Amino acid sequence: MSSEDRGIVDAAKEETLLAMYRSVDRMNRHMLEHSPGKDLGDSIISEQHLQINLRGNFEELQEPTEALD
Amino acid sequence: MDNWHVVLLHTRQSTLLKRAVEVAFPGRVTSIHVPGLARHQHYSVPKKNLLNYFREKVYDSGIWGDRVLTIYGDGEYHHWTYALARLALEKRKFDSWTYFHFDQHRDDWDVRDDKGLCPKLHCANFVDQIAGDFNATPFMVGPDVYPKKESDGYNIDGRHIPILSKYFTQELQQAWEWTNNGVPEGYMGTEIPSQRDLKVTPTPAYLTFDLDLLSRSEIVTNFDQNDDMTLRRVCQIMDHIRPHKRIFGADILGFPDWNQHHALSCLTMIILARKIMGLGVEKLLKYHTYAKRAQAGQINSQFRGDYWVDLENKSRESPIEEGELLEALS
């Protein structure tokens, strides 16, 4: 992987982590304000799904790929 | 319905969805390969950058004069709808219009500045920004209900914007002083929108459809889904909306193109696209029911110890093959 490619991957990783932190912040706000009538608000579950997706995206960036090597 | 155009934004060169859409709508499809919209990018973008990117890479004045149905990928990037709605409005002069948000989630949830604005857009904060920036009336068609938030409405840059919801109707909003976001019992999330609310909202309408609104029996997405909402129910909801509205643009998303091998999901999307465009869907719905029966058989085969399909599994096999799908669509 060239240093330029590595720079792009690092930027994408940073972007993914920042998206993860924002999602955790939003999830905490939902925890405080979500609908008491439900066990877990739909929005809390959606943030958890987003975090799983982001983790998958991050792990994919960790793996060396043919295109980048 | 003749002036509908389908724009498919894809980040992979050849996908099952692309082949299926081109067979289903011959002569009406423009596929735009936009690798810049791939995963790992644009989780959060300033509004201006998003609009500039779409103007440079996606907008074509020859296409956007028609009514455009855009099909794009991952639900993590639902905020692209902000740019797509703007492009659809480009050649139209409406004082006001209705924005229908078909989604399992509300996407209007994040920290705002004092004026109610967000400097950057992402998948959880763009709905009220569309309403505020483009003078739209938001109409929620999904299961997520927040009584206090909805009866308060949005307050953006000193303007009050009411929020309409298919379950939490204006009549219900005004019937009580809602002090918290507790949802009344007996709510399924599949209710039909109120005729009164449909009548009082502006006639021009843009529709965005996040596929995670649908049950896992209909489609694979990478978010949580509402198992009570079938495709036939969505068609019924559309039948109630259509007499009151003139749809000038729409988009469908939520079926990521890095995970597109599921032919039943493609069929669901094509039927939905036809329904939005006002085309007949009865024949395809019968085939859809056949495919779902086959899927139910695969789910039940776990009790016989055979190969079985688990709806929790995001990379599950489809009950129909690509060849069968393309034949049914052609």
Side-chain angles (χ1 to χ4, degrees), chain B residues 237-252:
Chain B
I237 291 176
M238 284 299 298
D239 287 338
H240 279 78
I241 291 175
R242 191 173 294 284
H244 301 284
K245 301 293 169 212
R246 192 174 66 251
I247 301 171
F248 64 87
D251 61 64
I252 301 178

Side-chain angles (χ1 to χ4, degrees), chain B residues 104-297:
Chain B
Q104 168 81 344
H105 315 106
R106 305 218 358 159
D107 298 348
D108 62 351
W109 196 281
D110 205 7
V111 180
R112 306 281 188 269
D113 65 15
D114 295 341
K115 291 183 173 178
L117 298 169
C118 291
K120 283 185 166 186
L121 290 181
H122 52 73
C123 64
N125 76 352
F126 66 93
V127 171
D128 54 333
Q129 302 301 302
I130 289 180
D133 293 351
F134 307 143
N135 205 20
T137 304
F139 202 121
M140 301 289 178
V141 190
D144 228 359
V145 175
Y146 290 88
K148 180 174 186 322
K149 189 169 179 171
E150 278 174 19
S151 51
D152 286 352
Y154 300 131
N155 193 352
I156 299 178
D157 216 0
R159 279 186 304 133
H160 174 261
I161 300 171
I163 306 172
L164 288 104
S165 159
K166 83 173 160 46
Y167 170 70
F168 202 62
T169 59
Q170 280 210 314
E171 202 172 357
L172 200 50
Q173 288 181 24
Q174 291 156 5
W176 189 261
E177 193 173 331
W178 300 92
T179 52
N180 68 40
N181 286 321
V183 180
E185 281 183 16
Y187 174 52
M188 297 275 286
T190 56
E191 288 73 8
I192 300 279
S194 127
Q195 295 286 315
R196 180 185 155 190
D197 286 357
L198 288 171
K199 279 179 193 158
V200 298
T201 46
T203 309
Y206 185 91
L207 195 152
T208 184
F209 200 105
D210 190 334
L211 293 158
D212 61 23
L213 178 70
L214 287 165
S215 159
R216 291 174 301 168
S217 61
E218 325 283 304
I219 196 155
V220 183
T221 75
N222 57 341
F223 278 87
D224 52 309
Q225 293 169 242
N226 179 7
D227 282 345
D228 295 322
M229 185 69 105
T230 60
L231 183 60
R232 281 183 187 269
R233 188 59 169 175
V234 169
C235 289
Q236 287 171 352
I237 291 176
M238 284 299 298
D239 287 338
H240 279 78
I241 291 175
R242 191 173 294 284
H244 301 284
K245 301 293 169 212
R246 192 174 66 251
I247 301 171
F248 64 87
D251 61 64
I252 301 178
L253 78 156
F255 183 46
D257 63 1
W258 43 266
N259 186 21
Q260 276 181 7
H261 64 283
H262 200 259
L264 174 59
S265 300
C266 287
L267 176 62
T268 303
M269 285 180 78
I270 301 285
I271 295 173
L272 186 61
R274 287 183 67 90
K275 192 72 196 172
I276 291 170
M277 293 158 82
L279 301 169
V281 293
E282 273 311 309
K283 195 176 144 204
L284 282 176
L285 271 178
K286 278 184 189 160
Y287 181 60
H288 191 258
T289 303
Y290 152 78
K292 279 174 62 181
R293 278 196 195 130
Q295 180 173 257

Side-chain angles (χ1 to χ4, degrees), chain A residues 36-51:
Chain A
K38 300 179 186 177
D39 295 337
L40 267 183
D42 290 318
S43 303
I44 296 172
I45 298 168
S46 81
E47 294 296 350
Q48 288 171 348
H49 274 78
L50 177 61
Q51 286 155 27

